[in-house]
Amino acid sequence: MSEQTARRGGAAWALVITSVAGFMAALDNLVVTTALPSIREDLGGALHDLEWTVSAYTLTFAVLLMFGAALGDRFGRRRLFVAGLAVFTGASAAAAMAPGIDSLIAARAVQGAGAAVMMPLTLTLLTAAVPVAKRGMAYGIWGAVNGLAVASGPLVGGTLTEHLSWQWIFWLNVPLGLALIPLARLRLAESHGTGAPLDVPGTLLASGGLFGIVYGLVRGPADGWTGSLVLTGLFAGSALLAGFVLYSTRAANPMLPMRLFRSRAFSGINAASLLMFLGMFGSIFLLSQYMQGVLGYSPTEAGLRMLPWTGMPMLVAPIAGILADRVGGRPVVATGLFLQALGLGYMSVVATADASYVSQLPALIISGVGMALFFAPASHLVMSSVRPQEQGIASGANNALREVGGALGIAVMASIFAAQGGYETGQTFVDGMRPALVVGSAVVALAGIAALLIPTRRRTERQATPSAPEPVLETASH
């Protein structure tokens, strides 16, 4: 199947198409953060409305990722990739034309659903098109492009918001999507998976559970933690997630087989990913508003000043890969997480209503280096923690947990912010942000501890069996 795909479109076209599509999906995770003050001024809305402009995307993206991959396996990967791309492009246009905050949130939710179908299939289609000997390099380029999207999100959002308008952060996707749709149909060959039935009950349980919990966390500060809808969301969401776990242990073809979590390697890297994104996304959500609303930077200036953090992976990732090859992925990932935690803790100390950028710079650099050390080897740690035939499930699960972490991080840290401070003055904003950053730092430190649970290379080699994955658990891919 891979040779047929390669003959039809070529590895180069597959790499270009999937990388650009992945760039679009990853960019929209953070591109909106530096535009939040402008969106609030233009469309109105309270803190929880701003949370939902980010969380509506990350939540639908997270809960439908594995389901989107399963749809592609069943009905055709190229067909569903094009469909997801079309939905994402159309929803981007709807977000740009949104007349109010509620319609913007709805468009962001649809945008996330389109990305959830499109994103997991980029890696599947790329794998099918690229010869085995060149896949490492292809994965490295694909990962670098996605890393560029994360790094440039706040800067792109800030620049477009300041010099054009916040609507252009969404209009940007439209010409790219319209160009990619015919290219994908012409240059990618169709392929299918095993044909296993779709896990509709599992998807409904996971989606409902996650939505209930995030809804409760987002609405809690506004409605009160004892409000009926808040308590219903939290308790019902927890019950549905518990039901998802029980169902997945017994189902014949579960969306996420619970037996994978018996592996310390799989459990460790996924717990680390969830906690890392929880602390990181929640912090960026507040810091981007702090730089504009409190320190008075323009959107472009705020995006540029965050580059030592968000842009550092582009510089440090190659070094992190070399280190991971020499000493293994576990110590590199754990070191990166502890540095990220240190950076957030540092920022919570130096942040004031009139802090200079020089005082914040060490915290941003430390956080950036830490994030780079995490991203470089983490994906390969996930893929090498399971058998080859389960790598698609493992990749989808890890990406889903990262997105869930991002949505929960924004909800949790915004709740802490609202309980301790607010938007009234610069000082009240800092009063709310500081304890939120402390919590973010603690959560990322827990992620570092989780990474230490990943077995060492030698132990993996001793325990390897013919049915187990190759003993390359701690070799980083580039």
Side-chain angles (χ1 to χ4, degrees):
M1 183 173 62
S2 62
E3 292 180 358
Q4 180 183 359
T5 307
R7 283 198 302 267
R8 167 170 178 150
W13 273 113
L15 181 59
V16 170
I17 293 168
T18 58
S19 294
V20 174
F23 179 89
M24 293 165 61
L27 182 72
D28 273 57
N29 264 322
L30 290 178
V31 72
V32 75
T33 54
T34 43
L36 289 175
S38 297
I39 293 174
R40 182 168 178 257
E41 182 179 349
D42 193 10
L43 300 182
L47 174 65
H48 65 268
D49 295 313
L50 295 181
E51 292 177 59
W52 277 115
T53 62
V54 181
S55 294
Y57 179 85
T58 56
L59 185 59
T60 53
F61 191 12
V63 301
L64 296 176
L65 265 169
M66 288 181 286
F67 190 59
L71 285 174
D73 287 345
R74 185 70 183 274
F75 299 110
R77 291 163 179 158
R78 185 190 66 184
R79 178 183 301 171
L80 265 295
F81 173 78
V82 171
L85 183 58
V87 170
F88 180 85
T89 304
S92 296
M97 295 184 292
I101 193 71
D102 292 335
S103 55
L104 174 60
I105 292 170
R108 288 282 286 167
V110 176
Q111 200 183 24
V117 176
M118 173 180 71
M119 186 67 172
L121 297 177
T122 59
L123 203 54
T124 309
L125 290 166
L126 181 62
T127 300
V130 177
V132 175
K134 297 182 179 180
R135 283 178 186 167
M137 179 180 66
Y139 291 159
I141 296 173
W142 181 88
V145 172
N146 279 266
L148 178 63
V150 173
S152 61
L155 177 58
V156 170
T159 302
L160 291 175
T161 299
E162 181 177 355
H163 297 291
L164 295 172
S165 69
W166 63 262
Q167 286 89 348
W168 279 94
I169 65 178
F170 301 115
W171 282 126
L172 178 67
N173 294 321
V174 175
L176 291 175
L178 292 177
L180 285 183
I181 289 172
L183 280 177
R185 291 185 60 85
L186 291 171
R187 297 294 181 176
L188 298 177
E190 188 60 279
S191 62
H192 296 77
T194 59
L198 297 174
D199 183 16
V200 177
T203 301
L204 293 176
L205 286 170
S207 303
L210 290 169
F211 179 83
I213 290 174
V214 174
Y215 177 85
L217 290 171
V218 171
R219 293 299 306 179
D223 297 347
W225 293 105
T226 58
S228 58
L229 287 178
V230 172
L231 291 176
T232 299
L234 293 174
F235 284 113
S238 300
L240 288 172
L241 284 183
F244 170 71
V245 173
L246 291 174
Y247 165 82
S248 298
T249 59
R250 302 174 181 176
N253 296 286
M255 179 175 66
L256 178 58
M258 291 295 114
R259 58 180 171 75
L260 294 180
F261 290 95
R262 297 172 189 167
S263 163
R264 277 178 52 199
F266 186 80
S267 297
I269 190 59
N270 278 288
S273 297
L274 173 71
L275 294 170
M276 161 66 171
F277 273 66
L278 196 159
M280 181 186 71
F281 267 67
S283 300
I284 292 177
F285 174 78
L286 292 175
L287 285 171
S288 62
Q289 297 181 72
Y290 164 71
M291 287 191 170
Q292 294 178 69
V294 178
L295 300 183
Y297 297 126
S298 70
T300 302
E301 290 171 340
L304 285 171
R305 281 165 173 76
M306 292 182 72
L307 275 180
W309 181 9
T310 58
M312 191 62 70
M314 298 303 295
L315 301 176
V316 179
I319 301 173
I322 294 171
L323 286 174
D325 281 338
R326 293 183 177 179
V327 303
R330 182 181 75 162
V332 177
V333 167
T335 300
L337 290 168
F338 289 129
L339 284 175
Q340 175 76 86
L342 176 63
L344 291 178
Y346 192 121
M347 180 63 77
S348 71
V349 173
V350 301
T352 63
D354 57 353
S356 68
Y357 182 64
V358 173
S359 67
Q360 303 169 55
L361 189 58
L364 295 171
I365 293 174
I366 293 170
S367 295
V369 173
M371 186 164 64
L373 292 176
F374 170 82
F375 279 134
S379 295
H380 193 69
L381 285 172
V382 172
M383 301 298 274
S384 58
S385 67
V386 298
R387 293 190 293 268
Q389 60 267 34
E390 295 173 330
Q391 287 179 344
I393 296 174
S395 176
N398 184 256
N399 279 289
L401 287 172
R402 290 184 180 192
E403 297 301 325
V404 168
L408 290 176
I410 291 170
V412 169
M413 295 178 69
S415 297
I416 297 170
F417 167 82
Q420 301 295 323
Y423 288 101
E424 291 80 12
T425 66
Q427 188 57 51
T428 57
F429 192 99
V430 171
D431 290 341
M433 185 182 71
R434 275 183 160 177
L437 291 180
V438 170
V439 172
S441 174
V443 168
V444 178
L446 287 177
I449 295 173
L452 293 177
L453 296 175
I454 300 169
T456 62
R457 179 187 302 167
R458 290 181 179 179
R459 182 175 300 179
T460 305
E461 290 173 352
R462 287 199 306 267
Q463 295 177 348
T465 64
S467 61
E470 291 293 327
V472 291
L473 175 63
E474 296 197 48
T475 301
S477 62
H478 302 289

